Amino acid sequence: MSDTPENPTATPPVIVPRAEHGISRKNIDENTLKVLYRLSRQGYKAYLVGGSVRDLLLGRTPKDFDVGTNATPNQVKKLFRNCFLVGRRFRLAHVRFGAHDVVEVATFRRQAQPDDLPEDPADHFFFSENVFGTPQEDAFRRDFTINALFYDIQTFSIIDYVGGLADLAARRLRVIGDPLVRFTEDPVRMLRALEFSARLGFSLDDSVRQGIYLRASLIAEAAPARIREELMELFRHRVAGQVLRNAQGMGLLPHLLAGYEAEEATFTLLDRIDLRTAAGTPIEEHFALAALFLDRFLRACPPEGEATVTDAVRIAGLILSPHCNYFHISHGTRHQAREMLIGCFRLARGLGKRGERRFLQHPMTPQSLELFALWHADDPEQTALAEEWRLALRRDEELLQRKSSESPRPKRRRPRRKGKGRPKTEG
């Protein structure tokens, strides 16, 4: 019988002793070490788990550190006064240090068997996510082999039940178990596969690639709020262009974003935005949204045509509305995205048009100009136009500052002297 999440065998793990790997405790978060040590001293298994082990082995700085243990959530809570239990679907312990630092502690879980499940089918989902197990059973429940490596704080060794070390060395992304089954269980794993491949520079295993082709349509069943957050994670991790390009190539993108498809020009724009984010400019959702729909907007409302600003307002709203409604995007965010699209339309028409002064002072104009410049980065004529607009913005800002400094101070109102009011009338 093969090693699968449903039937992990008793095959002994690969254990790499401290002398043969590069993970050092000095690279692990101090508060995470405190949690690991206390669990270990109380007789529980205490492992660093998941992406943090992967990143440390790759010489990268982990985004966060998670802990796995055989202590139940209630047992963890008894050990730490600063512990709070969270989650109904997946019960976790959060150990808090100060106002912002949280160490997440998860109890090892296993795949629920039919005999484990309660009689009421409505309770199956939440119950099956909280069936506790061994470290080996927990490893086989995880998504990718490179995310199922454990670091044992007691022996300082790496423990590998699923072949993750070999895949790490080969720079290959492989699903634990059958990709068709695992993608059916959680279709968002398909997007995560593309994200990890792009972030780490790993190749996709052929079985993963084939699984995405065959199960692409299932991702439309995922919760819109979850997809929306995963999309923004792509932008935050600076891989939006590469991942969405690959997603379209594999037939995943239309199912992922409610029928959305793009031309190569849009993916090139997203690549430039990823570089902008990598240079230190935080990405905001309205900026990403405007970038996704800029090409479609300019095709529907070409600046060199007869369309007016009123037409641009209407068309921008029509183009954004289906996406924003499906993903429940707030009116504030969609308004900012719409203003950026309208701004790009006005920028493309050039200077000297009616309402220019008001447009220069609009709060979204600088971001519109930034998006416009990224869109036209390989067009010398449009790049020159963008520079003219920058100069116009600078002149307008200097003019406002000069007027502000030259304006006379308002007259101070003299206080009213007592007894000088209206005389009282005799009653």
Side-chain angles (χ1 to χ4, degrees), residues 65-319:
F65 295 87
D66 295 331
V67 172
T69 181
N70 59 347
T72 66
N74 285 326
Q75 288 171 331
V76 176
K77 184 172 174 58
K78 288 180 181 179
L79 290 179
F80 299 92
R81 288 183 302 173
N82 51 333
C83 177
F84 301 85
L85 301 186
V86 299
R88 178 170 172 245
R89 172 179 174 265
F90 199 85
R91 199 70 167 152
L92 295 168
H94 280 183
V95 184
R96 297 183 184 176
F97 296 87
H100 305 292
D101 196 3
V102 174
V103 177
E104 188 172 278
V105 182
T107 305
F108 298 131
R109 275 141 168 103
R110 65 176 172 84
Q111 194 75 19
Q113 301 302 314
D115 292 344
D116 297 321
L117 299 174
E119 292 183 6
D120 186 353
D123 295 331
H124 285 190
F125 179 75
F126 293 105
F127 182 87
S128 64
E129 291 295 304
N130 291 285
V131 179
F132 302 137
T134 65
Q136 183 181 35
E137 290 169 327
D138 188 82
F140 276 94
R141 288 185 81 255
R142 294 176 180 267
D143 48 10
F144 307 108
T145 60
I146 60 171
N147 292 342
L149 300 170
F150 300 150
Y151 172 81
D152 185 354
I153 196 63
Q154 191 170 37
T155 63
F156 313 128
S157 58
I158 303 296
I159 304 173
D160 177 15
Y161 290 101
V162 296
L165 288 170
D167 289 333
L168 210 61
R171 302 186 68 80
R172 173 181 60 220
L173 192 78
R174 189 164 58 89
V175 168
I176 298 171
D178 182 352
L180 294 178
V181 174
R182 305 311 303 279
F183 292 161
T184 302
E185 289 174 350
D186 183 1
V188 176
R189 286 179 178 141
M190 293 183 280
L191 180 60
R192 287 172 59 79
L194 296 180
E195 179 188 347
F196 282 124
S197 173
R199 280 172 56 190
L200 303 174
F202 280 25
S203 63
L204 286 176
D205 188 73
D206 288 341
S207 64
V208 177
R209 194 178 297 276
Q210 186 67 15
I212 294 174
Y213 279 119
L214 294 175
R215 293 290 185 266
S217 62
L218 293 182
I219 205 165
E221 300 173 8
R226 189 177 175 201
I227 295 297
R228 179 183 172 189
E229 179 56 30
E230 291 288 343
L231 178 64
M232 287 309 301
E233 281 295 299
L234 300 181
F235 280 97
R236 294 183 193 112
H237 287 295
R238 309 176 298 279
V239 292
Q242 183 179 347
V243 170
L244 295 184
R245 182 186 285 108
N246 291 339
Q248 181 158 297
M250 295 185 187
L252 185 66
L253 188 59
H255 304 291
L256 177 72
L257 297 183
Y260 178 88
E261 291 189 71
E263 300 293 330
E264 179 57 30
T266 293
F267 297 129
T268 300
L269 173 62
L270 299 185
D271 289 336
R272 291 170 183 159
I273 291 173
D274 289 335
L275 291 174
R276 168 184 178 267
T277 307
T281 303
I283 184 68
E284 295 177 276
E285 187 174 20
H286 65 269
F287 199 103
L289 190 58
L292 286 169
F293 289 96
L294 180 59
D295 185 34
R296 188 177 300 181
F297 167 72
L298 292 177
R299 289 172 186 269
C301 187
E304 64 276 7
E306 299 297 322
T308 65
V309 173
T310 302
D311 296 327
V313 171
R314 178 179 56 82
I315 292 169
L318 289 173
I319 286 173

